[in-house]
Amino acid sequence: MLKTRHLFKVTSSIFSSFKRTLTMSAELRSLHVLPNETPVCSLDCKTAFETLTEKERLYAHHLSKASYDGSLAVFLQVSPEAAGLFVVFHRLFATESVESLKKKALGNGWTEEEFAAFLVYVAGFYNNSGNYKGFGDSKIVPGVSTEKITSLVTASDAVSKYPELLSTYHAIEQLICSLQQRELQLGFCQSGITTYHCESVTKEDAQFIDRFCKEHNIETWNTRLFKDTEKRNGKTVFRIVNASSITEGWREEEFEEAIVVVERGDYSPLMARAAESLRKAKDFAANDNQVQMLDKYVNHFTTGDLNDHKDGSRFWIKDQNPAKFKVLVDRAEELLERMPWGKAYEKDRFLKPDFTALDVISFAGSGIPAGINIPNYDEIRQNEGFKNVSLSNVISATPKQKMNFLDEGDEDLMFKYHKDSFEVQVGLHELLGHGSGKLFQRNADGTFNFDQDTTNILDGEKITTWYEQGETWGSKFGALSGPYEECRAEAVGYVLCCDEDILKIFGYEGELGQTVKYVNWLSEIRAGLMALEFYNADLQKWGQAHCYARYVLTQVCLEAGQEFVTIEEVTGEDGKPDLKFKLDQNKIDSVGKPAVREFLKKLQHYKTTGDAAGGTALFEGYGKVTEKELVWRNICITRRKPRRLFVQANTRLNGEKNAELVTYPETFEGIIASFVERYDSAAIDDLELCWKEQKKWWPTAFGKH
């Protein structure tokens, strides 16, 4: 009897454990599946395109084609399977209509919901330039089983048209839905998935190559790192591979206890396609500056020489047009004096950038931002200038969804004024956020670019840290440099949007201006709460730079106290856990602004002086997620709303002297059709060739295939 009772307990325990495992597995998978109700928004540029001259339309067409062809390389940089998956999807939908594929799927036992989930997955895959989210870095898996996808691919017309399609598909088949621990998110070495490095590269290897690159003044913006499986003469062989169309021209040397080969030809056929379209664009350039810019970019994609890309960027920042925010640009130098760090920490001379609001026709990459501040090269931004672009048709493309955690009054204000407040935040973030601040550096001749009598703005002591030759902001702060810089720029927007004269520049005065300011703070700090969705609790790691940045600022505002920001755990109308988020509008200037301003001063000090240790301690201290925030995170995840997907137009030639715009419906089918029509079969052949050549670097992923 005792044995029977014991057996029952064991069996019951195993069954309960099995149920928990199934539940956890279902919950985990739900975090990685894009919901069927994911909204689709059009990147509407029809009116803007119609205002262009024939010459400008042709110029835009060739630049768009260069961007899209070059962006195929992104699929090779995300995961071992992404490029192969792109090949399969393109050939599947280029050969057969969605209606025909749906009929076959339903005939093979699919449900309507499963086929809809498959379309969402493909559309999301295209939008994110791979099977990992561009915003959040977590893996995307389909809401339908691998077995059913296999049955559809096998039954498709594409299999008979492309004899090798099944071989390509079977190589990636088991990776599509897999959610092993390392596969959950992007990351280096064993912390996640990346194809910037081959799978055998360790953290120590990466540090070794960093030393090599620093000693040889090599910047790694357009490179990947591979390690040979076999040693040569007892020494490990590393390969730093530059993206370029030409493959000849390489060098190698022994460094420390290894051999380092620097070579060309990564993504070679894709770089050739991009360079060719840029050459064609030259015929329709508006001025000599644009011609010289394109020449440099063509040379860069041909040879892989980063200096050509930098020179192209230099010509680009000179190619200026009347700015929508001309007053903001003209007053920028004066407004920078309001920053909490003083003149010594600011650039010696503010280089007025071009600040334009425009409708973007094509944006190729893993996500479309609301604004950009480029180029990213520190030496150009600090000494020569930069450009700010606010992407108006991105800001205006907002699906109307219920906004979590707000009362009805705040929700109404968000719906009405979010576009206005976001335009203010983007403008200040890009121009005066990313465009501000100096880096203290030791020059090649041993002199400094700052007065050594300058005192530390935090404690009044002597400056003891700076950037040495070969060191950059990115190399010193590493992976933290992205979220840290986004946080700094966001904080600038928070602080400066409180000034009435700045709001007036954007066209908001009086009561309207105060409402826009309130909605900006409300939107941004609430976003910091919802950012918890993108925190990986198991790895204790943030997966998205902007999310990490906003969460840190939310913590700064919570720390300010005085009930300026309150987050209350409540029970929702559906009986499930919910949150109530409130921000006291009357305390923005008296509590919120001083707290963020003081934090901004600290951020700038550590960045300016290159004090990575101090900056890391500060930032990670505010970025901690405790048990309380983990409860909030679970609620955020349970109630999360799907992010929008964009459907972009294509341009195509209509004769030799005309380019026209092709638009698509705001549906998953529309996104798929836009990608299918964007690339010809030759481009897919080139992508597949690159993918097959690099498979050897990820033997674990493809070892069974």
Side-chain angles (χ1 to χ4, degrees), residues 280-528:
K280 291 179 179 178
K282 285 171 52 181
D283 294 337
F284 308 101
N287 51 56
D288 186 59
N289 193 75
Q290 288 183 356
V291 171
Q292 293 184 76
M293 172 190 75
L294 291 170
D295 277 335
K296 290 296 184 180
Y297 285 150
V298 168
N299 290 343
H300 165 71
F301 289 114
T302 301
T303 67
D305 189 336
L306 197 63
N307 289 321
D308 284 323
H309 195 273
K310 290 183 178 181
D311 288 341
S313 299
R314 291 183 170 98
F315 283 115
W316 183 72
I317 61 177
K318 295 174 185 175
D319 188 32
Q320 299 189 357
N321 290 310
K324 176 181 178 181
F325 301 125
K326 186 175 186 302
V327 177
L328 187 66
V329 174
D330 288 343
R331 291 186 56 192
E333 200 159 7
E334 166 212 336
L335 298 176
L336 285 173
E337 295 177 2
R338 304 182 190 184
M339 298 300 193
W341 49 76
K343 188 175 180 179
Y345 278 62
E346 195 48 72
K347 295 182 179 73
D348 298 332
R349 179 171 64 92
F350 181 74
L351 301 159
K352 290 184 179 180
D354 183 26
F355 191 1
T356 305
L358 50 77
D359 286 346
V360 62
I361 294 174
S362 306
F363 202 105
S366 57
I368 308 177
I372 51 177
N373 177 288
I374 42 182
N376 287 324
Y377 304 115
D378 287 335
E379 70 268 34
I380 297 179
R381 293 164 62 88
Q382 183 149 291
N383 302 317
E384 300 176 54
F386 53 92
K387 261 191 183 183
N388 291 277
V389 180
S390 176
L391 307 182
S392 300
N393 53 341
V394 177
I395 295 175
S396 62
T398 305
K400 190 162 185 177
Q401 298 173 299
K402 176 174 172 52
M403 296 190 179
N404 287 332
F405 315 141
L406 298 178
D407 62 28
E408 187 176 346
D410 281 343
E411 185 179 41
D412 288 343
L413 287 174
M414 286 278 281
F415 280 131
K416 191 171 183 179
Y417 297 108
H418 177 260
K419 178 180 179 295
D420 305 296
S421 70
F422 196 43
E423 185 176 64
V424 172
Q425 179 67 16
V426 168
L428 298 175
H429 173 117
E430 299 296 345
L431 175 64
L432 300 175
H434 290 314
S436 64
K438 181 175 182 175
L439 302 183
F440 289 171
Q441 298 169 325
R442 190 201 299 267
N443 300 318
D445 62 1
T447 61
F448 293 85
N449 72 337
F450 66 98
D451 186 344
Q452 288 190 275
D453 291 329
T454 301
T455 55
N456 181 320
I457 58 174
L458 299 186
D459 59 20
E461 297 295 322
K462 187 177 177 64
I463 298 294
T464 58
T465 57
W466 47 77
Y467 295 84
E468 297 288 358
Q469 281 291 298
E471 291 182 335
T472 64
W473 156 244
S475 70
K476 290 211 75 171
F477 280 73
L480 196 65
S481 62
Y484 192 108
E485 174 61 12
E486 293 304 331
C487 186
R488 194 183 70 87
E490 289 282 58
V492 168
Y494 288 21
V495 170
L496 293 184
C497 81
C498 294
D499 295 359
E500 292 184 359
D501 59 333
I502 291 178
L503 287 168
K504 185 177 179 180
I505 293 173
F506 288 89
Y508 308 115
E509 299 183 67
E511 185 178 347
L512 174 60
Q514 293 305 303
T515 301
V516 169
K517 176 178 78 174
Y518 172 62
V519 171
N520 189 43
W521 278 76
L522 179 72
S523 172
E524 292 295 317
I525 299 174
R526 170 179 167 269

Side-chain angles (χ1 to χ4, degrees), residues 34 118-128 645 667-669 671-672 675:
L34 301 180
F118 178 62
L119 295 182
V120 176
Y121 175 67
V122 177
F125 171 83
Y126 283 145
N127 252 235
N128 289 277
L645 300 180
T667 62
F668 307 123
E669 294 91 334
I671 293 174
I672 293 169
F675 271 83

Side-chain angles (χ1 to χ4, degrees), residues 566-577:
T566 58
I567 301 172
E568 182 183 355
E569 296 174 27
V570 298
T571 301
E573 294 180 359
D574 57 3
K576 297 178 181 178

Side-chain angles (χ1 to χ4, degrees), residues 203-235:
K203 183 179 180 180
E204 292 71 26
D205 293 335
Q207 292 170 341
F208 165 77
I209 291 298
D210 283 344
R211 293 196 300 275
F212 174 86
C213 290
K214 182 177 179 180
E215 183 166 315
H216 292 77
N217 291 318
I218 295 175
E219 295 182 74
T220 57
W221 293 91
N222 63 330
T223 67
R224 290 197 288 176
L225 175 62
F226 301 135
K227 182 168 72 172
D228 285 5
T229 54
E230 296 183 3
K231 293 186 177 183
R232 190 196 307 171
N233 299 325
K235 294 187 175 182

Side-chain angles (χ1 to χ4, degrees), residues 530-541:
M530 298 192 301
L532 282 164
E533 175 190 341
F534 299 94
Y535 176 75
N536 187 310
D538 292 329
L539 296 179
Q540 298 183 359
K541 174 185 173 185

